[in-house]
Amino acid sequence: MAKITFDGIEVEVADGTTILQAARKIGGSVVPPAMCYYTPLKGSGGKCRVCLVKVTQGSAKDPRPMPKLVASCITPVQDGMVVENTTNEDVLNARKGIVEMLLINHPLDCPICDQAGECNLQDLSYEHGVSATRYEEERRTFNKVDLGPYIQLHMTRCILCYRCVYTADQIAGNRVHGVLGRGDAAEIGTYIENIVDQEMSGNVIDVCPVGALTDKTWRFKNRVWFTKPMDAHRDCPTCSGKVTLWNRGDQVLRVTARKDEYSEVEEFICNTCRFEKKEMSDWTIEGPRHINRASVISANHYELPVVNVPIVPNLPASTKKNLPQH
Amino acid sequence: MAEIINEVKFSDAGMAEIQRYISHYPEGRQKSAILPIMHVAQAEFGGWLSPQVMDKIAEILNIQPIEVYEVATFYTMFNLKPVGKHVLEVCRTGPCCLRGADQMIDMIKQKLNIEEGETTADGMFTLKPVECLASCGTGPMLQVRETYYENLDTEEKLDQFLETLRNTEVETPYHQK
Amino acid sequence: MGIKILTEHINVPGIETLEVYRKHGGYRSVEKALKTMTPDEVVEEVKTSGLRGRGGAGFPTGMKWSFLAKPEGVPRYLVCNADESEPGTFKDRVFMQKNPHALIEGMITSSYALGANTSYIYIRGELMFVLRILEKAIAEAYAAGLLGKNIMGSGYDLDLHVAPGGGAYICGEETALLESLEGKRGNPRNKPPFPAVKGLFASPTVVNNVESIASVPWIVNNGGAEYAKIGVGRSTGTKLISASGNINNPGVYEIELGVPVEEFIYSDEYCGGILKGKQLKAVVPGGSSVPILPANLILKTAAGEDRLMTYESLSDGGFVSGSMLGSGAFIVFDEDQCIVRNTWNYARFYHHESCGQCSPCREGTGWMEKVLHRIEHGHGHQQDIDLLVSVAKQIEGNTICPLGDAAAWPVASAVRHFRDEFEWHIKHPQEATLPGAVYRGQLETITA
Ligand SMILES: Cc1cc2nc3c(=O)[nH]c(=O)nc-3n(C[C@H](O)[C@H](O)[C@H](O)COP(=O)(O)O)c2cc1C
Ligand code: SF4
Ligand code: SF4
Ligand code: FES
Ligand code: FES
């Protein structure tokens, strides 16, 4: 076991635990955000850099601070380690800078994005972003890629977290999509026309932190905050059959895996459950699902009457503001 | 897809070269040989890698085709579209620019009447700007296949170089051994 | 004339053949190490020599070797970094091309010290012609019993292979190199684990630069203590410098560490002064990634002392007034060169070469390039200068691998030392975009 101090709070965790997981054990507002790390996916993490923290004391044995900020999602704890997150100005500033980087090429098309309301990038920019962009260059665009009848790809929204690639490798198998190109021209794609339809492939939608991968069978059907999430299950020969249904009245609009407060799925589900079972009679209802995240859906809780929800509530002000004049 | 795909077949020498590279790596690590194999393929199939050629490489290495596409699109030496007979890989990086690389690139564009990334109408030359080729002391310079052409700092030298190249036949290097 | 450890025989005709190489004392270190020394004794000599990594970071080679994990029953690897892609650097290419056996000898002796039975030379794909030279020399070495089973009857086995890259600067970073060697995209790995614990094929691995490895035979032959006598302080031994830019004698020079920068630039033994007798404007002393220094600060430190060609002296003053020895790529700018244009050129390089894995580098390198492109092409705003500094800061230190820092430093240092030139460009977009326009200091004049 290792005892560490995180933002002044002591917590004891098993050796080899990452700083992020230790912070999640404490829970609440001290937990660093994570856009690429995903507990069930081996090898994930380290890429987005929003989880950076300051290690002010490396361990009890070697108390020297670590010279750079470290990615909390991949850095293991040491006994006696002291970590600062919300209590450290440098960390908050660096994070602000990184959120800005994630947004400069983002299309900010939340009004037409199916992920709006349950998007980790919206949450992130609301909590850690700056209010005006300094970016006046042209935003990146990509050619359209068709992944088949189930999954919609909007590459401009992708933050290259690689989660969908790990999911295809580790959960679905027979991977046909991947990261092509490099640098800021890197993109998710299949290179030649190909269909992503392996039995567990729909999980890429659930792991995607943004609206880059969405469910075609739910496209534009509704905004997430108008729907009522319910836990349900069925006897499924392929997966656990434990899902969340997103309903309007008696209509099943969408089926997803159950996600925890960090947007991580509890159990991956199969494509049959996700895309084919859209009747209430397919499911045994367990009861309403409480959405635990500090996001639009929970802020405008489905149990309350929905009045006038702003569609782009969280994003930095218009790109045109505060720009130097040509 | 009812498209008729020409069968991709490596020459015997090319296949021997591929097997040699694969033998350099431990059992089960044959994917390690992908870059040398792509070089062989590019040399054998007209200077570029078509999806069919990449699928053949996937088959040889027993990996998913997407793994080949991912690698091929990461590295700049692999051309993913047809190219001219001679690809002029021109260094455009700082140290060469101190010795006139920008001017050389402009001259090539003018003389061949093409822009960066384009191929001449006769299919003879493709102009491909690249980054530092580790020949900075002898810039401006460029590479064509396995040969460096250095100190191309006057119009005469450039003309002479283009003329020589026009009359050069393409050879696959490992066939000469 | 200093001592030549690496280049003494480099111009001997036929030195690329085993026969001539052996005639000039080649492969003595293999015999000495394998027959008379234990692997640990070789490591000790390298430690004593004070040899520091010649790939850029300058990490002590002997210390790196002693960190190598040695679990039972797991192979260990030595991988030679011949990626040679830091702009301005061409020493390893020239060295391997002319004297391939010298690297192979270093690989055998070093692999023995590390207990590696398979080793690789990863060479950038553009250098396929050098790969063929190396492969020919390796075949000769196999035939002579210097590679393969039971080398020189010592019972030690080693296989040595050359592996080409495919065109990616990032594959010079050691973990990206290992990914590439495994046939993958060159995405640097998260650390820990470090290669010394989990490197090539998840086994303990040492990655060393060509020049570092090629220095080992001399150390074994003459002793680490002899090596440590060469040079100044913690900068021991000799270093290959790739000299380029506006100088009379561009080329590769082997110097004893400690030569004054001024002597290096102006003496006929080295660069031979500035081309056409022009004024020196600036130098990038260690490859495009290290900070640029204006003429006054490259010749003398801020404290007024002579700047020397050593790790310590070149970094004297930190990033405020110093730079780094880096890979020893010495890029010289004369008075006619435009710093803004050069900074844009470097920024374009890093934008082009970012692997794209982590967000600050993927997005920030493109952002800096675009802003610099605007300034260079007459569309800059005064606040762009601070924006550049701020974006560079947002990248620096926050990325997976040092390419992020390498992209940030040239921009930050150019603005630090040549801010007036940037301001002038922005204030005078018309003049600044005339062909050949250069800012020359106080007077806002140009020469076309
Ligand atoms: C972006 C980047 C590019 C690099 N390129 C090279 C290179 O081309 N050659 C090299 O030897 N080292 C290069 N390095 C340094 C290597 O990561 C590594 O430190 C070096 O190979 C270690 O060898 P040494 O200790 O012998 O110097 C690079 C590092 C970075 C971050
Ligand atoms: S598509 Fe989504 S899951 Fe895949 S890399 Fe992009 S952001 Fe991540
Ligand atoms: S710093 Fe740049 S090159 Fe290095 S891992 Fe991150 S994106 Fe890739
Ligand atoms: S969550 Fe840690 S780097 Fe992305
Ligand atoms: S800058 Fe052109 S070869 Fe190095």
Side-chain angles (χ1 to χ4, degrees):
Chain A
M1 294 296 276
K3 200 186 266 173
I4 75 160
T5 311
F6 189 97
D7 274 353
I9 306 164
E10 281 198 3
V11 60
E12 203 169 21
V13 290
D15 290 328
T17 307
T18 60
I19 297 175
L20 179 71
Q21 295 294 12
R24 284 183 179 179
K25 194 169 172 198
I26 299 170
S29 62
V30 299
V31 182
M35 295 295 285
C36 67
Y37 174 79
Y38 209 68
T39 312
L41 297 174
K42 229 180 110 223
S44 66
K47 298 187 195 311
C48 70
R49 316 303 286 177
V50 301
C51 71
L52 291 179
V53 293
K54 176 75 191 171
V55 175
T56 53
Q57 176 173 322
S59 68
K61 257 195 263 153
D62 182 357
R64 286 176 301 172
M66 293 193 181
K68 290 181 184 180
L69 303 183
V70 300
S72 59
C73 67
I74 49 164
T75 308
V77 296
Q78 305 286 338
D79 193 41
M81 188 183 254
V82 179
V83 186
E84 293 180 355
N85 177 32
T86 59
T87 50
N88 187 299
E89 202 65 29
D90 291 346
V91 170
L92 297 178
N93 279 335
R95 189 168 296 147
K96 222 175 241 169
I98 288 158
V99 173
E100 181 178 31
M101 297 289 189
L102 284 173
L103 289 173
I104 59 173
N105 273 301
H106 194 81
L108 305 179
D109 58 350
C110 313
I112 53 156
C113 178
D114 269 336
Q115 192 90 354
E118 52 178 354
C119 174
N120 296 142
L121 188 58
Q122 270 187 323
D123 298 346
L124 185 75
S125 48
Y126 182 59
E127 283 163 38
H128 303 283
V130 286
S131 60
T133 180
R134 302 177 295 167
Y135 191 71
E136 57 167 297
E137 323 303 325
E138 222 167 277
R139 280 165 208 265
R140 190 164 54 220
T141 55
F142 294 93
N143 293 332
K144 236 181 142 85
V145 176
D146 186 5
L147 299 181
Y150 296 128
I151 302 166
Q152 180 69 41
L153 171 65
H154 283 283
M155 187 53 218
T156 48
R157 299 172 188 157
C158 170
I159 61 154
L160 284 170
C161 69
Y162 285 60
R163 282 180 188 173
C164 61
V165 181
Y166 293 123
T167 303
D169 263 342
Q170 296 168 28
I171 312 294
N174 276 330
R175 180 161 68 88
V176 298
H177 89 285
V179 179
L180 304 169
R182 75 174 184 216
D184 66 1
E187 61 179 311
I188 294 294
T190 49
Y191 195 69
I192 53 165
E193 203 175 292
N194 216 328
I195 293 171
V196 178
D197 65 350
Q198 298 69 22
E199 185 48 37
M200 299 295 280
S201 61
N203 289 298
V204 298
I205 297 167
D206 282 341
V207 302
C208 184
V210 293
L213 294 170
T214 49
D215 183 339
K216 268 193 185 171
T217 66
W218 136 274
R219 267 196 103 192
F220 303 134
K221 286 238 173 81
N222 218 309
R223 306 304 305 195
V224 65
W225 53 84
F226 294 124
T227 63
K228 191 169 164 140
M230 306 228 266
D231 279 350
H233 66 264
R234 63 181 274 270
D235 240 349
C236 177
T238 316
C239 67
S240 70
K242 291 183 187 156
V243 303
T244 300
L245 304 179
W246 302 76
N247 287 6
R248 182 99 204 227
D250 270 352
Q251 217 189 336
V252 179
L253 296 181
R254 181 174 69 153
V255 183
T256 67
R258 297 181 189 173
K259 296 191 197 180
D260 67 11
E261 60 189 305
Y262 302 112
S263 294
E264 292 181 351
V265 305
E266 289 164 6
E267 280 171 279
F268 291 103
I269 62 168
C270 71
N271 283 11
T272 310
C273 286
R274 184 187 302 273
F275 299 122
E276 322 260 317
K277 301 292 171 193
K278 295 285 177 79
E279 302 295 330
M280 281 300 264
S281 57
D282 291 328
W283 299 98
T284 311
I285 306 295
E286 295 171 15
R289 178 157 188 96
H290 184 72
I291 303 299
N292 230 340
R293 284 187 308 130
S295 72
V296 191
I297 3 175
S298 42
N300 303 279
H301 205 276
Y302 59 90
E303 284 153 5
L304 302 172
V306 177
V307 231
N308 208 7
V309 179
I311 294 216
V312 197
N314 294 346
L315 281 164
S318 144
T319 59
K320 288 283 169 248
K321 249 188 228 162
N322 297 338
L323 286 189
Q325 297 305 309
H326 286 264
Chain B
M1 283 198 293
E3 196 180 328
I4 300 162
I5 295 167
N6 289 331
E7 207 203 329
V8 176
K9 200 169 173 329
F10 284 92
S11 69
D12 290 346
M15 210 54 210
E17 190 74 350
I18 289 174
Q19 293 306 341
R20 187 174 72 85
Y21 278 116
I22 291 177
S23 77
H24 290 173
Y25 302 96
E27 278 296 308
R29 296 287 186 172
Q30 76 284 356
K31 186 184 174 184
S32 306
I34 193 168
L35 293 176
I37 293 177
M38 289 202 279
H39 286 297
V40 171
Q42 191 155 284
E44 295 227 338
F45 301 110
W48 71 292
L49 300 176
S50 65
Q52 291 81 356
V53 168
M54 290 195 271
D55 291 353
K56 179 74 188 177
I57 295 173
E59 187 192 309
I60 293 173
L61 292 175
N62 194 20
I63 55 178
Q64 300 287 344
I66 186 71
E67 296 180 63
V68 183
Y69 310 149
E70 283 179 321
V71 171
T73 56
F74 186 89
Y75 297 93
T76 53
M77 289 184 76
F78 304 113
N79 302 312
L80 302 172
K81 295 210 179 87
V83 290
K85 182 169 164 190
H86 302 295
V87 182
L88 311 180
E89 297 184 286
V90 193
C91 174
R92 67 172 188 187
T93 315
C96 272
C97 291
L98 294 178
R99 305 183 72 85
D102 287 336
Q103 290 82 333
M104 177 190 60
I105 294 174
D106 284 345
M107 255 193 289
I108 295 178
K109 284 188 197 166
Q110 239 170 38
K111 285 185 189 295
L112 301 180
N113 196 19
I114 47 174
E115 287 301 311
E116 294 173 1
E118 291 179 355
T119 301
T120 52
D122 61 0
M124 183 63 77
F125 299 111
T126 299
L127 175 59
K128 178 178 175 184
V130 298
E131 301 293 352
C132 179
L133 289 171
S135 189
C136 328
T138 38
M141 59 82 60
L142 54 79
Q143 170 169 32
V144 182
R145 284 179 296 279
E146 297 194 9
T147 311
Y148 276 12
Y149 298 88
E150 300 168 308
N151 292 313
L152 297 172
D153 51 2
T154 64
E155 187 162 4
E156 294 78 71
K157 287 191 206 166
L158 190 63
D159 282 337
Q160 203 182 8
F161 153 74
L162 288 173
E163 205 40 49
T164 317
L165 209 54
R166 262 179 221 286
N167 302 311
T168 303
E169 277 319 303
V170 180
E171 291 173 37
T172 332
Y174 49 83
H175 286 173
Q176 303 163 355
K177 276 203 270 182
Chain C
M1 279 294 289
I3 184 165
K4 301 282 181 258
I5 287 177
L6 297 154
T7 57
E8 189 182 353
H9 305 299
I10 201 159
N11 289 320
V12 172
I15 196 73
E16 72 282 1
T17 63
L18 183 67
E19 194 195 334
V20 177
Y21 183 68
R22 286 198 101 157
K23 220 179 263 166
H24 287 85
Y27 289 106
R28 268 195 300 140
S29 77
V30 173
E31 184 155 14
K32 179 169 179 189
L34 269 56
K35 291 196 174 159
T36 69
M37 296 168 79
T38 64
D40 285 345
E41 282 168 358
V42 180
V43 175
E44 269 319 302
E45 288 302 329
V46 173
K47 265 193 184 164
T48 309
S49 75
L51 173 67
R52 292 166 69 175
R54 303 298 194 219
F59 192 82
T61 305
M63 207 191 302
K64 184 190 263 190
W65 288 10
S66 62
F67 291 157
L68 184 68
K70 295 179 176 162
E72 275 299 308
V74 180
R76 279 166 244 153
Y77 293 102
L78 171 64
V79 176
C80 173
N81 187 342
D83 194 60
E84 186 84 310
S85 44
E86 172 83 4
T89 318
F90 48 100
K91 52 158 187 124
D92 295 338
R93 194 258 306 163
V94 171
F95 182 79
M96 292 184 288
Q97 201 176 350
K98 290 191 167 181
N99 199 356
H101 282 289
L103 174 60
I104 296 166
E105 176 175 359
M107 286 300 286
I108 302 170
T109 310
S110 306
S111 299
Y112 171 73
L114 297 167
N117 297 111
T118 308
S119 295
Y120 295 92
I121 299 171
Y122 178 93
I123 188 165
R124 62 182 297 181
E126 292 88 342
L127 297 182
M128 205 54 112
F129 58 101
V130 181
L131 173 142
R132 298 192 199 288
I133 293 171
L134 287 167
E135 284 193 336
K136 204 166 154 197
I138 287 175
E140 280 186 305
Y142 267 104
L146 290 161
L147 281 170
K149 295 252 173 282
N150 190 18
I151 296 171
M152 291 180 144
S154 65
Y156 173 64
D157 306 336
L158 176 67
D159 281 315
L160 177 61
H161 306 296
V162 194
Y169 164 66
I170 189 58
C171 293
E173 193 280 335
E174 58 185 7
T175 60
L177 184 155
L178 295 175
E179 286 286 292
S180 184
L181 192 48
E182 292 182 4
K184 302 179 197 153
R185 297 160 58 82
N187 284 351
R189 296 177 182 170
N190 283 311
K191 282 150 280 201
F194 289 92
V197 178
K198 235 176 153 188
L200 184 64
F201 308 135
S203 294
T205 303
V206 166
V207 180
N208 269 133
N209 172 259
V210 170
E211 188 186 343
S212 314
I213 289 171
S215 301
V216 171
W218 195 95
I219 293 169
V220 167
N221 288 336
N222 300 279
E226 274 308 298
Y227 191 87
K229 285 184 193 157
I230 308 162
V232 177
R234 287 182 56 240
S235 294
T236 63
T238 65
K239 173 92 192 78
L240 297 177
I241 305 292
S242 320
S244 68
N246 310 116
I247 46 174
N248 282 313
N249 313 324
V252 178
Y253 297 98
E254 181 171 9
I255 61 161
E256 277 185 31
L257 286 166
V259 172
V261 171
E262 188 162 358
E263 182 185 336
F264 186 72
I265 298 176
Y266 291 101
S267 128
D268 282 337
E269 197 184 324
Y270 305 115
C271 301
I274 309 300
L275 209 55
K276 297 189 189 133
K278 298 213 184 228
Q279 293 293 311
L280 173 68
K281 180 171 183 176
V283 172
V284 174
S288 63
S289 305
V290 309
I292 189 169
L293 289 180
N296 57 328
L297 281 176
I298 188 69
L299 299 175
K300 302 252 187 244
T301 65
E305 282 165 19
D306 281 349
R307 190 81 80 179
L308 308 179
M309 300 284 279
T310 63
Y311 292 96
E312 293 74 21
S313 180
L314 281 170
S315 57
D316 186 286
F319 278 7
V320 177
S321 62
S323 183
M324 286 156 87
L325 178 61
S327 66
F330 198 85
I331 310 164
V332 180
F333 297 69
D334 72 16
E335 56 188 305
D336 289 345
Q337 304 304 329
C338 171
I339 299 298
V340 175
R341 186 169 183 82
N342 186 72
T343 310
W344 163 57
N345 184 295
Y346 284 12
R348 178 178 68 182
F349 173 82
Y350 291 103
H351 177 204
H352 187 254
E353 299 301 331
S354 163
C355 84
Q357 249 191 128
C358 55
S359 27
C361 171
R362 176 181 68 239
E363 305 295 339
T365 51
W367 194 357
M368 290 195 301
E369 190 213 326
K370 286 174 188 156
V371 172
L372 282 158
H373 183 271
R374 270 200 291 106
I375 298 177
E376 165 65 14
H377 291 84
H379 306 289
H381 325 297
Q382 285 302 334
Q383 57 272 51
D384 283 341
I385 301 177
D386 290 331
L387 177 65
L388 282 173
V389 175
S390 147
V391 173
K393 212 187 252 158
Q394 272 163 256
I395 302 172
E396 188 186 343
N398 293 334
T399 54
I400 295 179
C401 88
L403 187 139
D405 302 343
W409 295 339
V411 174
S413 61
V415 172
R416 186 180 314 120
H417 297 301
F418 296 94
R419 195 180 181 104
D420 52 343
E421 197 163 333
F422 284 83
E423 286 171 353
W424 180 81
H425 263 256
I426 291 165
K427 244 189 263 163
H428 304 278
Q430 256 123 36
E431 291 98 315
T433 47
L434 289 174
V438 187
Y439 172 69
R440 289 181 189 281
Q442 301 87 345
L443 278 176
E444 291 179 352
T445 52
I446 53 159
T447 25

